[in-house]
Amino acid sequence: MKFGDYIRQKREANGWTQPGAAAKMDIEQSYLSKLETGKSYPSEDIFNRLLKTYDIDASDLSQSIFSAELDKLREIKEVRSVVLERQTNEIRFTRGWMVAGLTLLMLGGACLGFAIAGNGPAKSQQEFRYRSLGVILPGEPLDVFDIVRESSLEINSHPDAEKLRKLQQEMTERIRETFERSNRYKGAEYVKPTLHGQRRFQLFDDRAYKIDSPLKWLLAPALMFLAGSFGCFFISYRWK
């Protein structure tokens, strides 16, 4: 807001006309008109009359009008002290944002550096996968479930074909597959006891998989810190 608009609003808030307000301050109405239109700026004496007549607080004035308008009133003692205090607060404010920006910039740079360092040559690890078709009951041979994989041709060519077909159907119905993974080779097969018997686990796959570095997750906070630092610098610049 311009200084002239500010004192005009103060006059209108009191319900005074220009001639009436000029009379209260003992100045010419034409001079008050120039003050309100920005064609002239008051001397220290006239400024003090404005403060007293309109009951203006110098701090409220400094916060309500443009900085460029304050510069035109710098020769007035009351305004000069307020301007100096305002500038001090602005410097303190901008320094705070600058410090925050530098802190976030260093944190972002550190996180980014660790993320890049951890994104080096990929490491791999071997994984072994074992499968068990079902629970082997006490007294049953370990290969009891092998009959499930036998083809019809092989079974039909056997002397006890009917018995084998029944066994195959029975074991098929008992299939309850369970899988285990291990980073250590346990052999082609191994046996584990269960509540009602035991399970025979057989190796069916082994492969190497990539191990991602946990440092790569620092990339997300790094970008957030860097964005925050640029935001702090922008606020500091715009405020200035």
Side-chain angles (χ1 to χ4, degrees):
M1 180 187 297
K2 292 185 177 181
F3 174 74
D5 295 332
Y6 181 81
I7 60 174
R8 176 178 56 77
Q9 289 183 4
K10 289 293 184 181
R11 174 178 62 77
E12 293 175 347
N14 285 284
W16 299 336
T17 61
Q18 269 193 1
K24 292 179 182 294
M25 289 183 283
D26 194 21
I27 60 175
E28 296 291 334
Q29 184 267 331
S30 59
Y31 181 55
L32 179 58
S33 177
K34 289 181 179 179
L35 293 177
E36 290 186 359
T37 56
K39 295 180 180 179
S40 181
Y41 287 86
S43 63
E44 187 162 350
D45 176 55
I46 300 300
F47 182 80
N48 288 330
R49 294 187 196 184
L50 287 168
L51 294 184
K52 183 176 180 181
T53 304
Y54 292 154
D55 191 24
I56 296 174
D57 180 68
S59 298
D60 177 70
L61 172 68
S62 68
Q63 295 175 5
S64 301
I65 67 176
F66 299 137
S67 297
E69 295 288 286
L70 281 177
D71 289 338
K72 297 176 182 178
L73 301 170
R74 289 179 66 92
E75 299 304 320
I76 300 173
K77 181 180 179 181
E78 287 80 0
V79 177
R80 185 164 57 249
S81 61
V82 171
V83 169
L84 289 174
E85 182 181 357
R86 181 175 177 177
Q87 289 177 341
T88 301
N89 291 334
E90 288 180 352
I91 291 173
R92 188 178 297 117
F93 179 84
T94 54
R95 283 181 177 175
W97 280 105
M98 287 289 290
V99 171
L102 288 172
T103 302
L104 290 176
L105 183 62
M106 289 187 290
L107 287 173
C111 290
L112 185 61
F114 282 119
I116 293 175
N119 196 26
K123 296 181 180 179
S124 61
Q125 184 168 326
Q126 195 79 8
E127 181 181 74
F128 302 92
R129 300 184 181 186
Y130 293 86
R131 175 173 56 197
S132 171
L133 293 180
V135 176
I136 302 172
L137 300 178
E140 292 181 333
L142 293 178
D143 60 353
V144 66
F145 280 98
D146 290 353
I147 188 67
V148 174
R149 301 189 180 93
E150 296 290 336
S151 66
S152 299
L153 182 62
E154 291 175 329
I155 292 178
N156 292 333
S157 62
H158 198 277
D160 295 327
E162 185 64 26
K163 182 179 178 181
L164 291 178
R165 277 195 294 269
K166 290 181 179 180
L167 179 61
Q168 185 181 52
Q169 182 178 358
E170 177 188 347
M171 299 312 296
T172 301
E173 293 174 353
R174 283 175 52 186
I175 289 179
R176 300 291 186 273
E177 284 190 318
T178 299
F179 298 88
E180 287 191 353
R181 297 181 179 183
S182 175
N183 296 327
R184 180 174 57 86
Y185 179 64
K186 297 182 178 181
E189 62 180 60
Y190 62 91
V191 177
K192 285 183 66 174
T194 64
L195 183 62
H196 301 292
Q198 57 187 349
R199 278 184 174 272
R200 177 194 182 196
F201 287 88
Q202 295 176 295
L203 180 68
F204 75 96
D205 186 27
D206 65 286
R207 64 183 63 185
Y209 62 95
K210 179 182 177 182
I211 303 176
D212 292 327
S213 171
L215 295 178
K216 76 172 187 178
W217 301 109
L218 289 174
L219 185 61
L223 295 177
M224 289 190 291
F225 284 139
L226 292 175
S229 68
F230 293 139
C232 291
F233 293 143
F234 178 76
I235 293 174
S236 175
Y237 172 76
R238 293 292 295 177
W239 186 269
K240 181 179 179 182

